[in-house]
Amino acid sequence: MEKRGWMAFIFICTCVLTGVTGCGKSEPEPVYPVIQAEQDYEKPKQVEVIPKEAMRNGINSFAYHMYDKLGEQENVFFSPYSLCSALSLLDVGADSETKEELEELLGIADLDAWNGEMKGYLEKEWSDDTFVITANAIWMDENKEFAPNVQADFLQPAGYYYKCEVFKADFRENPQDAIREINNWTDKNTRGMIPQIVGAVPANTVMALLNAVYFEGKWETPFKKESTFEDTFHGTDGDSRVEMMNQYREDYAYVECGGIKGIALPYLGGNVVMKVFLPAEDGEDITALFSVLDIEEREKLLNSLDDVEKKEISRLALPKFSMEKSIDGIEEILQDMGVAAAFREDAGFDKIGTGLYVSRILHKAKIEVDEEGTKAAAATAALMNDSAALMEEEFTEFIVDKPFVYVLQDAETGIILFMGRVNNL
């Protein structure tokens, strides 16, 4: 079958970042802005209201499955929220078997209701100190003839539910300008955390869809810089010296369950929390302990920190660290998780254009943890081909000086925004 074009969907989910970027860079005007998309979209007359936990359960289940696919030797950090947002947007333009597989993976029973939950999360109100901001945009090649009803079937729902602005691009004759605009948009909407998502575009690229999520959170109880000292982190590859932040005699939610102990570190406003898990006994391995838990047991462990009474922690020690990770081979991982049709030439994205299929998916995430709080960012890119063109006084310590698993979780909805494991520092 003759290949008439590539379609690049670039979803950039980011939480976190420092610095203001984009100054002095040209910002093209959208040819189909969000407000126009929202006005044009004929909203469903009746949308089945799904429980708030449906979106949480779908994203969290995806998080645990993806975590298991990333191996046990390396450090891990990724954004299930970013990846699920990308796959959800892909689902807006999908049909047939591809649509069924995407919705099975995400646990979507009603796409309009699911998208409504996504829209609600984009519009969620946050505090000034702890917040998540999401932005979306689409670049469409001016030389490509898309589906006749692409505006009504794809662009309008993408604009209404995901607030996508639409820009023109000339990927065929002037790809460098398109790349520059995409990277400028990415840099701006991740506040410099991910300054470049695209280094080059394959021949016949016809579309780029970008999603950026920015998170910033200040600790409810900050660490004092004068209590940060160099200490030893006992990694799987041996000991290393790291900057260890310390607190003393502070109250936190704390649990011990099935050989694992966990702590919840809230950010100001209480909307987001970092949950950290360690072996309860010395000599145990958190990777092994966590890997034997099934989905329900992992959720139970995560949820156990939500309602437990706070406990005085005599000493809390947490590494001050930053980490950036990329995931390669996500196409194979997703196929192993049940999404196969999207990667075939007859994938069925006819709402967007005929003969389109996903050729590659990329993901990059970055986190910075210091005395004041946390910043994190993630970027997901899906490229598409066009086949047609703690009694007596008890001292409870939580010393994170060995491999640990952690999540950044929306405390209100329970959605896992980011998930990671640190084996070595």
Side-chain angles (χ1 to χ4, degrees):
M1 186 178 295
E2 181 182 355
K3 296 185 178 180
R4 293 178 302 173
W6 280 67
M7 174 175 287
F9 280 94
I10 305 167
F11 306 86
I12 306 152
C13 297
T14 306
C15 292
V16 195
L17 308 149
T18 54
V20 177
T21 62
C23 296
K25 297 176 181 177
S26 61
E27 296 183 10
E29 289 295 320
V31 295
Y32 191 62
V34 169
I35 189 170
Q36 186 65 45
E38 292 184 340
Q39 289 173 347
D40 290 347
Y41 183 56
E42 185 176 345
K43 305 167 189 63
K45 292 182 175 61
Q46 288 185 331
V47 174
E48 177 188 350
V49 177
I50 60 175
K52 289 184 177 180
E53 62 265 22
M55 183 174 142
R56 179 200 68 198
N57 291 344
I59 293 176
N60 290 9
S61 177
F62 178 91
Y64 301 133
H65 281 114
M66 178 61 69
Y67 173 89
D68 286 339
K69 300 293 183 182
L70 299 181
E72 299 183 350
Q73 304 306 315
E74 301 291 331
N75 291 337
V76 168
F77 186 63
F78 68 102
S79 173
Y81 173 58
S82 169
L83 284 160
C84 288
S85 296
L87 295 173
S88 298
L89 268 167
L90 205 57
D91 190 37
V92 173
D95 280 312
S96 62
E97 189 178 356
T98 295
K99 185 178 185 65
E100 293 175 7
E101 290 179 350
L102 286 169
E103 295 181 3
E104 175 71 20
L105 175 66
L106 298 173
I108 299 176
D110 182 315
L111 183 59
D112 286 329
W114 175 276
N115 286 336
E117 287 293 313
M118 283 287 190
K119 175 180 172 64
Y121 199 74
L122 293 179
E123 298 170 347
K124 180 176 177 175
E125 294 185 2
W126 300 88
S127 71
D128 292 338
D129 296 301
T130 300
F131 52 91
V132 177
I133 300 174
T134 306
N136 296 284
I138 299 172
W139 269 261
M140 301 179 70
D141 190 276
E142 60 189 27
N143 305 299
K144 166 69 178 177
E145 183 176 345
F146 291 96
N149 295 322
V150 65
Q151 186 160 304
D153 292 343
F154 180 64
L155 298 181
Q156 288 174 7
Y160 176 70
Y161 288 119
Y162 293 90
K163 299 189 177 297
C164 284
E165 293 181 310
V166 181
F167 300 91
K168 285 193 306 182
D170 187 350
F171 290 109
R172 181 188 301 172
E173 301 295 336
N174 199 357
Q176 289 307 312
D177 277 359
I179 291 170
R180 186 184 67 254
E181 288 181 6
I182 289 169
N183 286 333
N184 285 351
W185 187 93
T186 303
D187 187 45
K188 175 185 176 183
N189 285 283
T190 62
R191 298 195 182 182
M193 196 72 141
I194 302 178
Q196 177 177 304
I197 186 63
V198 180
V201 293
N204 299 325
T205 294
V206 294
M207 180 177 282
L209 193 155
L210 292 93
N211 161 268
V213 183
Y214 170 89
F215 164 82
E216 184 172 328
K218 293 181 172 61
W219 299 121
E220 187 175 278
T221 304
F223 292 80
K224 296 178 180 179
K225 291 187 177 181
E226 59 266 29
S227 295
T228 297
F229 307 103
E230 192 176 82
D231 208 338
T232 301
F233 185 85
H234 307 287
T236 57
D237 290 342
D239 293 351
S240 61
R241 301 294 288 177
V242 302
E243 288 188 276
M244 192 73 75
M245 306 182 296
N246 291 274
Q247 287 182 0
Y248 303 92
R249 306 189 77 88
E250 296 288 352
D251 294 340
Y252 288 106
Y254 173 88
V255 296
E256 290 190 23
C257 179
I260 296 174
K261 60 182 180 180
I263 196 169
L265 309 179
Y267 297 94
L268 275 175
N271 285 327
V272 179
V273 61
M274 176 185 281
K275 297 179 178 180
V276 183
F277 299 97
L278 288 169
E281 302 291 337
D282 289 340
E284 295 293 333
D285 176 13
I286 188 60
T287 299
L289 291 169
F290 197 78
S291 65
V292 299
L293 302 179
D294 60 25
I295 298 296
E296 291 74 19
E297 291 169 330
R298 293 178 184 184
E299 274 290 279
K300 183 178 179 180
L301 176 64
L302 218 64
N303 296 338
S304 67
L305 284 164
D306 294 339
D307 302 317
V308 68
E309 289 188 14
K310 290 187 176 181
K311 181 183 187 68
E312 183 180 85
I313 306 299
S314 53
R315 180 191 172 203
L316 166 65
L318 183 70
K320 178 178 177 179
F321 70 97
S322 68
M323 181 179 298
E324 184 172 350
K325 297 295 292 182
S326 297
I327 299 176
D328 295 322
I330 294 182
E331 313 84 45
E332 290 79 9
I333 292 173
L334 289 176
Q335 291 181 65
D336 193 46
M337 292 170 68
V339 177
F343 300 95
R344 299 199 299 254
E345 291 190 359
D346 59 347
F349 290 101
D350 291 350
K351 290 180 182 178
I352 306 169
T354 58
L356 298 171
Y357 67 94
V358 179
S359 61
R360 194 174 183 198
I361 296 180
L362 308 171
H363 186 74
K364 179 188 295 185
K366 184 176 182 179
I367 186 169
E368 297 174 354
V369 178
D370 62 19
E371 291 89 351
E372 295 182 358
T374 302
K375 296 177 181 179
T380 305
L383 306 181
M384 299 184 72
N385 268 14
D386 180 353
S387 63
L390 330 172
M391 303 221 27
E392 73 187 28
E393 185 176 6
E394 183 177 354
F395 292 95
T396 303
E397 295 188 333
F398 199 85
I399 312 301
V400 188
D401 62 352
K402 57 180 68 69
F404 61 94
V405 171
Y406 65 104
V407 300
L408 297 182
Q409 184 180 28
D410 186 307
E412 182 179 359
T413 65
I415 292 171
I416 297 175
L417 298 169
F418 291 83
M419 184 171 185
R421 180 184 68 240
V422 174
N423 280 346
N424 297 284
L425 288 172

